[in-house]
C-alpha cells in the first residue's frame, strides 16, 4: 500500500503523541462516551481512527470488547504496547476506514479526535471519501447501535482564513479544506489536508450514510 502523507506525519508524531495537551482529558472523554452511549460491560465497541488507543484502552478497562482501526502502523504500535502493559485484550487492526468492512457487528462505534474523519489526501474527493467512512461504520453496527464522532468545525476554518489564503491555495472555501506542510526529519516536506464540516453538511452526510442524527454539538474551539 502506498504510504500516505498522514502516515508519514503520524510516523514521527506517534512517539510524542501523548504529550499533546488535548490527550490529558482522556479519562473524562471515556466517561462521557460511556454515559452518552449507555455503554456497559460486554458491549462490543468499534473505535475507528483509534491512534494510540487512548479511548480503546479506557473502554477495555471498563470491560468492553473493543476493536480499534487506524491507518498508522506507528500509532497502533504504541496502542498495542500499552495494551500489553496493562494486560488488556484489544483487537487493533491497520486499515483505511473508507475501505475496511469487518464481518463482525458492533453494539456502538466512535471516531474521536478526528482520528479517521477530517484528515484526507490529495487526489481524494473529500465528500465521497468521508461518506464512504460513514457507510462503512453504519454497515458494521448492529440495528439500533449508536455512533459518536467528532469532526473539525467548518465555521472555524472560515473564520481563520482570508482571501489571500484562498489565492495561495491554503484554504479551499468550496470543500472547507486547509493545506499545511510538515517538515520531516529527513528535510523533506509533506502536504497535509484537513476538511471542516458545517452542521447541515454533516447532517446530510450522516443521513446518506444510513444514520439518524440524535444530537449535534458545536464549539468555537473547532
Amino acid at each position: 500500500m502506498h504510504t500516505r502523507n498522514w502516515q508519514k506525519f503520524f510516523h514521527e508524531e506517534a512517539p510524542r503523541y501523548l504529550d499533546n495537551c488535548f490527550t490529558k482529558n482522556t479519562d473524562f472523554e471515556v466517561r462521557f462516551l460511556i454515559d452518552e452511549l449507555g455503554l456497559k460491560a460486554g458491549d462490543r465497541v468499534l473505535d475507528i481512527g483509534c491512534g494510540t488507543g487512548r479511548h480503546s484502552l479506557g473502554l477495555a478497562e471498563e470491560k468492553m470488547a473493543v476493536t480499534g482501526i487506524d491507518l498508522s502502523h506507528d500509532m497502533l504500535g504504541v496502542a498495542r504496547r500499552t495494551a500489553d502493559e496493562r494486560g488488556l485484550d484489544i483487537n487493533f487492526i491497520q486499515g483505511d476506514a473508507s475501505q475496511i468492512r469487518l464481518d463482525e457487528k458492533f453494539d456502538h462505534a466512535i471516531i474521536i479526535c478526528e482520528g479517521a474523519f477530517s484528515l484526507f489526501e490529495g487526489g481524494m474527493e473529500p465528500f465521497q471519501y468521508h461518506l464512504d467512512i460513514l457507510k462503512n461504520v453504519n454497515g458494521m453496527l448492529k440495528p439500533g447501535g449508536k455512533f459518536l464522532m467528532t469532526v473539525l468545525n467548518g465555521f472555524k476554518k472560515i473564520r481563520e482564513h482570508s482571501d489571500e489564503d484562498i489565492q495561495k491555495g491554503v484554504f479551499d472555501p468550496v470543500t472547507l479544506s486547509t493545506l499545511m506542510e510538515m517538515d520531516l526529519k529527513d528535510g523533506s516536506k509533506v502536504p497535509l489536508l484537513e476538511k471542516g464540516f458545517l452542521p447541515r453538511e454533516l447532517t446530510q452526510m450522516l443521513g446518506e450514510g444510513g444514520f439518524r442524527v440524535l444530537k449535534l454539538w458545536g464549539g468555537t474551539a473547532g
Side-chain angles (χ1 to χ4, degrees), residues 131-192:
L131 180 58
D132 287 343
I133 293 175
L134 295 178
K135 288 180 177 179
N136 275 346
V137 175
N138 188 272
M140 291 186 281
L141 279 174
K142 296 177 182 178
K146 290 184 178 181
F147 171 44
L148 192 149
M149 68 186 302
T150 61
V151 305
L152 295 176
N153 189 327
F155 287 125
K156 181 174 185 287
K157 289 193 175 293
I158 293 171
R159 289 197 309 270
E160 287 177 337
H161 293 93
S162 63
D163 290 343
E164 184 179 357
D165 290 330
I166 296 173
Q167 294 170 0
K168 290 180 178 178
V170 173
F171 176 59
D172 182 349
V174 177
T175 62
L176 300 181
S177 301
T178 53
L179 172 66
M180 55 187 171
E181 283 192 330
M182 176 193 173
D183 296 317
L184 298 181
K185 292 177 181 177
D186 63 6
S188 63
K189 296 178 180 289
V190 292
L192 300 173

Side-chain angles (χ1 to χ4, degrees), residues 117-128:
F117 215 81
S118 296
L119 314 182
F120 69 105
E121 300 284 328
M124 292 180 174
E125 200 294 305
F127 186 90
Q128 189 60 53

Side-chain angles (χ1 to χ4, degrees), residues 80-142:
R80 291 186 177 111
R81 287 193 296 274
T82 308
D84 289 343
E85 291 168 1
R86 298 187 189 180
L88 298 172
D89 183 15
I90 302 174
N91 183 23
F92 287 117
I93 300 170
Q94 184 179 7
D96 180 338
S98 72
Q99 299 176 12
I100 193 168
R101 179 75 70 91
L102 304 177
D103 293 332
E104 183 179 357
K105 295 291 184 179
F106 296 87
D107 297 295
H108 302 290
I110 59 173
I111 296 179
I112 305 297
C113 202
E114 297 77 58
F117 215 81
S118 296
L119 314 182
F120 69 105
E121 300 284 328
M124 292 180 174
E125 200 294 305
F127 186 90
Q128 189 60 53
Y129 171 71
H130 291 96
L131 180 58
D132 287 343
I133 293 175
L134 295 178
K135 288 180 177 179
N136 275 346
V137 175
N138 188 272
M140 291 186 281
L141 279 174
K142 296 177 182 178

